[in-house]
Amino acid sequence: VSCLCGSAPCLLCGCCPSAKNSTVSRLLFTFFLFLGTLVSIIMIIPGVEKELHKLPGFCEGSGSVLGVQTHVDCSSFLGHKAVYRMGFAMAAFFFLFALLMVCVRSSKDPRAAVQNGFWFFKFLVLVGITVGAFYIPDGAFTSVWFYFGVVGSFLFILIQLVLLIDFAHSWSQLWLHNAGESNAKGWYAALCIITFIFYATSIAAIVLLYIYYTKPEGCTEGKVLISINLILCLIISAVSILPKIQDAQPHSGLLQASLITLYTIYVTWSALANIPTQTCNPTLLVRNSTGSATATQPLTTWWDAPSIVGLIIFILCTLFISIRSSDHPQVNKLMLTEESVAGAGGEAAAVESGLHRAYDNEQDGVSYNYTFFHLCLLLAALYIMMTLTNWYRPDESLRVLTSPWTAVWVKICSSWAGLLLYLWTLVAPLVLPNRDFS
């Protein structure tokens, strides 16, 4: 009980290695997010979704479900409704802690004890908010919260792109450094093979997108979006190997460009999977007020392949936010993360004593911005909420749950923003020669 109510160091058992207090706290908050995500996934499984109507008051309360009158069978929308409630609960939980942790400078601040401890009570707060969220009157809640989810998801996709670009640069630098240190051609061969795999996968994906999401007659939007992103990917690949770019950034190359290209094609695929035209979107699923569904494939899960890939990327990026700070100062400044040397003494003491526990590395200053970290998890909660519901919402008649064009354009615009961001990382040393981009 004392461990559950105490600080992060008490939560590590004897078999665990020594770790920073800040890292343990971030991982535990991330665990809360993953726990809420798991509950959302369980609730949206068709078999479980049909049983949700047994929850007291879940089908009643406001006289309508998603704005539909009571004569409509609310069981057809229960999974969608449950995921939105869970998303709201997680977002409210992290927003609460974002407010509480404003301007915390070190672990000596009394609020830092709340950040790094009292985990049992935090869990109770999350459960309480979740239970309360399921009693929110329907009315316009889903329609309004949909747009909150759209904005939050767009911002989280941008964070994913920042982390992906940083990861690509770090990956290339590491392998090139190993190749230079060992004079082994194997590292260069590995770089070439990975780059070839990424580009080959991207080309195959583009071909499949043209086959399945376009038609010889019509589907103009899909053709234009695929072609634009293909051209942009070719441009950044060409720019990455220009002599002037190579002189300014010797570590830039096709590995980073290939990874960004592959991610851009994934985002394009995800956007095309939301086009609300059945002939141009073979994966489109439409649910009407009677609970029936129409799709070209059997209804086995409520979310499709792009959503599954998005879920995997969400897990990896959230863990990336929780356990790692960048090797690049510019990314640390952008993500408000800066590893502090304040905990060096604590680390040495932990190693010398042989204790397997967390040590306080934030006595002289926090190693990450508490508020910004919680805002990142808030955006992650909104992103996973939209991912698990396929970005669907009730249509204008409030009788059918469909995919709106809003989802398509948000995803496409995020892919363009990511490509421009990567292009800026390439040309910035040339545009601003007096700044340090090392």
Side-chain angles (χ1 to χ4, degrees), residues 21-134:
N21 190 56
S22 59
T23 302
V24 176
S25 297
R26 283 182 283 182
L27 286 174
L28 289 171
F29 275 112
T30 303
F31 170 75
F32 283 167
L33 176 62
F34 288 167
L35 183 63
T37 302
L38 178 61
V39 173
S40 298
I41 293 174
I42 293 174
M43 286 185 172
I44 211 167
I45 294 175
V48 177
E49 181 184 10
K50 294 179 181 178
E51 300 297 323
L52 289 177
H53 71 278
K54 296 180 180 179
L55 292 177
F58 197 49
C59 261
E60 301 90 13
S62 63
S64 65
V65 176
L66 304 179
V68 185
Q69 298 303 317
T70 53
H71 68 271
V72 176
D73 180 14
C74 69
S75 62
S76 62
F77 296 129
L78 283 183
H80 185 279
K81 178 180 177 180
V83 173
Y84 266 56
R85 266 39 178 203
M86 280 299 308
F88 175 83
M90 291 189 291
F93 176 78
F94 292 118
F95 182 71
L96 172 63
F97 277 92
L99 291 179
L100 290 176
M101 299 301 153
V102 172
C103 296
V104 175
R105 303 300 182 189
S106 74
S107 61
K108 297 177 182 178
D109 190 307
R111 289 175 295 169
V114 179
Q115 170 75 8
N116 298 318
F118 302 100
W119 299 103
F120 178 71
F121 295 108
K122 290 175 184 175
F123 178 74
L124 291 182
V125 170
L126 178 58
V127 171
I129 296 176
T130 302
V131 173
F134 276 79

Side-chain angles (χ1 to χ4, degrees), residues 269-285:
W269 174 35
S270 180
L272 295 176
N274 278 111
I275 290 181
T277 305
Q278 188 74 54
T279 56
C280 302
N281 181 6
T283 61
L284 182 66
L285 175 66

Side-chain angles (χ1 to χ4, degrees), residues 87-350:
F88 175 83
M90 291 189 291
F93 176 78
F94 292 118
F95 182 71
L96 172 63
F97 277 92
L99 291 179
L100 290 176
M101 299 301 153
V102 172
C103 296
V104 175
R105 303 300 182 189
S106 74
S107 61
K108 297 177 182 178
D109 190 307
R111 289 175 295 169
V114 179
Q115 170 75 8
N116 298 318
F118 302 100
W119 299 103
F120 178 71
F121 295 108
K122 290 175 184 175
F123 178 74
L124 291 182
V125 170
L126 178 58
V127 171
I129 296 176
T130 302
V131 173
F134 276 79
Y135 287 93
I136 296 177
D138 294 312
F141 171 78
T142 300
S143 300
V144 174
W145 193 240
F146 170 83
Y147 289 103
F148 276 92
V150 166
V151 175
S153 299
F154 177 81
L155 295 176
F156 187 73
I157 290 174
L158 293 183
I159 292 176
Q160 286 183 338
L161 290 165
V162 171
L163 297 177
L164 184 66
I165 293 171
D166 175 50
F167 173 74
H169 281 297
S170 300
W171 186 0
S172 178
Q173 288 184 15
L174 176 62
W175 282 20
L176 290 175
H177 174 75
N178 291 341
E181 289 290 329
S182 61
N183 293 322
K185 296 182 179 180
W187 291 105
Y188 293 109
L191 277 173
C192 293
I193 292 173
I194 294 298
T195 302
F196 174 78
I197 291 174
F198 285 164
Y199 273 123
T201 305
S202 300
I203 293 173
I206 290 173
V207 172
L208 292 175
L209 291 181
Y210 274 118
I211 293 175
Y212 288 101
Y213 290 93
T214 64
K215 300 293 181 182
E217 301 294 335
C219 300
T220 305
E221 298 88 352
K223 296 175 183 177
V224 171
L225 295 179
I226 297 173
S227 300
I228 290 177
N229 279 1
L230 174 59
I231 294 172
L232 292 177
C233 290
L234 292 175
I235 291 175
I236 64 167
S237 298
V239 170
S240 67
I241 56 176
L242 290 176
K244 289 186 177 180
I245 299 296
Q246 290 292 310
D247 292 339
Q249 295 197 66
H251 294 292
S252 69
L254 291 178
L255 176 65
Q256 298 96 313
S258 65
L259 185 57
I260 300 302
T261 297
L262 184 60
Y263 183 80
T264 300
I265 300 305
Y266 156 70
V267 176
T268 307
W269 174 35
S270 180
L272 295 176
N274 278 111
I275 290 181
T277 305
Q278 188 74 54
T279 56
C280 302
N281 181 6
T283 61
L284 182 66
L285 175 66
V286 178
R287 276 190 164 185
N288 58 34
S289 58
T290 63
S292 63
T294 60
T296 58
Q297 59 183 7
L299 179 59
T300 56
T301 57
W302 177 222
W303 27 288
D304 53 11
S307 299
I308 296 174
V309 177
L311 177 63
I312 296 173
I313 296 175
F314 153 79
I315 293 174
L316 295 177
C317 287
T318 308
L319 288 175
F320 199 74
I321 294 172
S322 302
I323 64 177
R324 183 182 181 274
S325 65
S326 176
D327 297 329
H328 300 82
Q330 298 295 336
V331 177
N332 280 331
K333 291 178 182 178
L334 181 63
M335 298 298 295
L336 301 182
T337 302
E338 193 69 44
E339 283 301 320
S340 172
V341 298
E347 180 178 9

